[in-house]
Amino acid sequence: MDTIIPFQPAVTLAVVGDRAQFPVRRIYCVGRNYAAHAREMGFTGREEPFFFCKPADALINVADAQTGTMPYPSRTADLQYEVELVVALHRGGRDLTVAQADECVWGYAIGLDMTRRDLQGAAKKLGRPWEVGKGFDGSAPIGPLHPREKVGTLRGGAITLSVNGERKQSGDLADLIWNVAESVACLSGLFELKAGDILFTGTPQGVGPVVAGDTMVGAVDGLGELRVRVV
Ligand code: MN
C-alpha cells in the first residue's frame, strides 16, 4: 500500500521466555482501585470503577533484568509513580460477563502509571480532561509480559514500589476494589475490547514524587521486578 507518510512503528510488549512479541492496541487504566489509595486521594467506598486511556505509544518497554529509563516530562514539578499490575488481553468483546472477561486475560506485567500530579490536579479542579496529567509521552513504562499459562491466575500477592531502595508503596492484589475480571467486564460495557488491549489495574497507597536521577523498582509477586530510572 502506498502511504503519504511512513506507517507508525508497531507498539509491542516483550514476552518472558518467548521470542514472539505481544502487539499492543490500546492502553486502558482503572482509577482508584485500592481502598487505601482512594482514601489518600480524598475518596471513600466502593465507587463504580472509572477509566482513562494512555496513547499506546506512551509505552516504554523495559527488558527483563534491565534498568529502563524514562525522561522527566515537560511542564511538571510533581512527577509521581503508581505501580500497577498490568493485564494483557488476547480476546475482547462488548458487555462481557465477569467469567467471560476473565477468559480474555492472556498475561501479566508490572507497569508504572506515571502521572504529572500537578497537571492532573489542575484538570480535576477545572473539570478538564486528564490526558496532560496521565497520557504524556513515556508515561507508561512496562516490563515484559508473563503468560498466564506459566504464572497462573494472579488473585493475590504483594505489589510494591521502592525509590532509591526505600519502600514507598505496598499493597496486595487481593485488595483490588474491582478485581481484574470485574474491571475488564466493566470496561467492556464502555468500549468494545479487542485482542491487544492492555489494562493498568490501579495502584495501592503510597504514591509520591520522583526527580531526575531516582530509580524506581516495582515488584509484583510472581512477576519479578520492573526497574526504571528517571533521567
Ligand atoms: Mn493509576
Side-chain angles (χ1 to χ4, degrees):
M1 186 198 304
D2 287 337
T3 60
I4 302 300
I5 58 169
F7 278 110
Q8 312 304 321
V11 176
T12 62
L13 280 170
V15 176
V16 173
D18 199 327
R19 285 173 48 222
Q21 299 273 311
F22 186 94
V24 173
R25 190 181 84 110
R26 292 183 181 172
I27 302 177
Y28 293 103
C29 307
V30 189
R32 268 178 239 140
N33 205 12
Y34 290 82
H37 173 61
R39 281 196 298 276
E40 78 181 349
M41 300 307 281
F43 296 85
T44 55
R46 195 180 199 225
E47 302 159 20
E48 277 290 294
F50 70 92
F51 302 93
F52 57 91
C53 293
K54 293 178 187 262
D57 68 356
L59 193 156
I60 294 176
N61 275 289
V62 181
D64 214 9
Q66 306 272 312
T67 300
T69 58
M70 77 161 287
Y72 196 94
S74 63
R75 303 291 177 96
T76 183
D78 193 13
L79 175 66
Q80 295 202 357
Y81 49 79
E82 296 187 359
V83 65
E84 308 200 5
L85 173 70
V86 175
V87 300
L89 309 186
H90 66 139
R91 64 174 75 146
R94 283 196 186 99
D95 296 319
L96 301 170
T97 65
V98 172
Q100 289 168 333
D102 184 59
E103 290 171 5
C104 294
V105 176
W106 183 83
Y108 305 98
I110 306 169
L112 295 174
D113 168 15
M114 297 304 295
T115 303
R116 287 160 158 162
R117 193 72 73 199
D118 42 2
L119 300 191
Q120 184 201 23
K124 280 183 187 173
K125 203 176 295 175
L126 295 167
R128 289 180 181 168
W130 281 16
E131 277 85 352
V132 296
K134 287 290 196 180
F136 55 91
D137 298 335
S139 59
I142 305 182
L145 275 175
H146 295 252
R148 183 179 184 178
E149 64 177 25
K150 296 233 175 81
V151 297
T153 299
L154 300 190
R155 302 186 195 284
I159 175 168
T160 62
L161 182 125
S162 299
V163 178
N164 303 331
E166 188 182 331
R167 178 64 54 82
K168 300 288 189 183
Q169 291 192 269
S170 189
D172 195 293
L173 300 178
D175 295 334
L176 281 168
I177 297 172
W178 301 92
N179 67 30
V180 167
E182 290 169 339
S183 297
V184 171
C186 196
L187 181 61
S188 75
L190 295 163
F191 299 93
E192 179 177 2
L193 301 179
K194 296 199 172 173
D197 290 340
I198 66 174
L199 174 65
F200 279 71
T201 58
T203 198
Q205 73 279 12
V207 299
V210 281
V211 296
D214 287 345
T215 297
M216 304 172 284
V217 179
V220 172
D221 269 359
L223 305 183
E225 288 183 349
L226 167 67
R227 304 177 62 88
V228 179
R229 188 159 43 88
V230 182
V231 296

